[in-house]
Amino acid sequence: MPPAPQHRTAPAAAVLAAVLLPALTACGGGSAAAGAGSPAVSGPASSAAAANLTVLAASSLTDVFRTAGAAYEKAHPGSRITFSFAGSQELAAQVRQGAPADVLVTADTRTMDGLAAETAAPSVIAKNRLVIATGKGNPFKIGGLKDLADSKIKVVLAAPEVPVGRYSRRILDAQQVRVAPVSEEPNVRAVLGKVELGEADAGLVYATDAAKSAGKVATVDIPDGQNAVASYPAAALKQSKNAAAAAAFTAWLSGPEAQKILQDAGFQKP
């Protein structure tokens, strides 16, 4: 089994990790931080796949990756996967600033391509599409993108540097729909939250996020010809202290078990 991750001991490094990784979520329970000093195991668990890994993942993967992480740990005894979820642009900033992590999964290829010097070769593990999320019952009777131009409708979008924000503006511009958002949010979950709370009448979000909020929001589909396809590339980070295990987890995301979990959650095949 590869050695446990080496922890930074300098005060500056500790502050950096505390600031950049505030939302770590461990799949296996207990402490959110990846534990060092796990007992040695024999057999399959001692393979390269068994290690403590920190995975930086796009916010729209929050629910499905918790399920996937638990499945990976079950299939690879001795492993532990700890997630940090945020907007892809925030994750990229963490990588550039040296936050300790092993794998990166973004909601667009553009962000991943910008980190080519920091990652191994990425592979797309899933795709997604956008929908319009509205208040329960769709009180404004929104039927499509053009309705979002109505000044009486409060629309919220993700910020333009966020992948879902770029996708949103791309499809709106293509349909010549002019929208003045009441707010610009740091990730897709924040956009959805505004609609759920009634602070906005509509927002553009991923189909998978809207599906998780069924009963809290209504969903208006966007035709394929007007939509955008979001691609999710995954890559091991060159800075990882567990290079073999990081590569194994990344490869597993493209395998049949992980693909079934992703597609059951509404993600499309890569």
Side-chain angles (χ1 to χ4, degrees):
M1 182 171 70
Q6 298 300 311
H7 297 285
R8 302 184 184 199
T9 57
V15 171
L16 175 64
V19 170
L20 296 177
L21 297 175
L24 288 174
T25 305
C27 290
S31 171
S38 298
V41 293
S42 58
S46 61
S47 69
N52 299 315
L53 296 177
T54 296
V55 178
L56 307 180
S59 294
S60 51
L61 294 167
T62 299
D63 298 303
V64 69
F65 261 25
R66 284 173 175 154
T67 301
Y72 186 84
E73 289 177 351
K74 183 177 180 180
H76 302 85
S79 64
R80 180 167 181 162
I81 310 298
T82 300
F83 293 107
S84 178
F85 299 103
S88 296
Q89 80 290 348
E90 296 179 45
L91 302 178
Q94 292 178 21
V95 171
R96 292 188 179 100
Q97 295 181 53
D102 303 287
V103 175
L104 173 67
V105 188
T106 62
D108 67 334
T109 55
R110 173 176 166 179
T111 299
M112 184 68 77
D113 290 346
L115 295 168
E118 310 289 343
T119 70
S123 58
V124 173
I125 62 164
K127 293 189 175 183
N128 214 338
R129 289 180 179 273
L130 273 64
V131 298
I132 304 170
T134 76
K136 290 177 63 175
N138 192 3
F140 284 89
K141 307 303 178 188
I142 294 170
L145 292 172
K146 293 189 181 299
D147 294 333
L148 300 181
D150 188 335
S151 60
K152 296 191 295 295
I153 298 175
K154 294 184 293 184
V155 178
V156 61
L157 300 175
E161 62 269 20
V162 184
V164 70
R166 287 199 298 273
Y167 295 135
S168 298
R169 286 162 179 79
R170 182 189 306 168
I171 65 177
L172 289 170
D173 289 347
Q175 298 303 310
Q176 299 183 343
V177 177
R178 300 292 175 255
V179 172
V182 295
S183 69
E184 296 184 331
E185 301 301 320
N187 56 63
V188 68
R189 288 303 180 94
V191 173
L192 192 59
K194 290 280 189 179
V195 179
E196 289 179 351
L197 294 172
E199 296 176 9
D201 302 314
L204 289 173
V205 301
Y206 295 121
T208 51
D209 289 287
K212 293 295 294 186
S213 290
K216 297 179 181 178
V217 300
T219 299
V220 179
D221 289 333
I222 301 171
D224 287 349
Q226 299 177 10
N227 216 326
V229 177
S231 295
Y232 291 75
L237 292 169
K238 292 180 180 178
Q239 68 189 30
S240 172
K241 305 299 183 183
N242 300 285
F249 178 74
T250 304
W252 180 84
L253 290 173
S254 293
E257 184 177 13
Q259 285 298 301
K260 184 178 187 305
I261 292 170
L262 285 160
Q263 289 159 34
D264 286 349
F267 288 86
Q268 298 177 338
K269 292 181 180 181

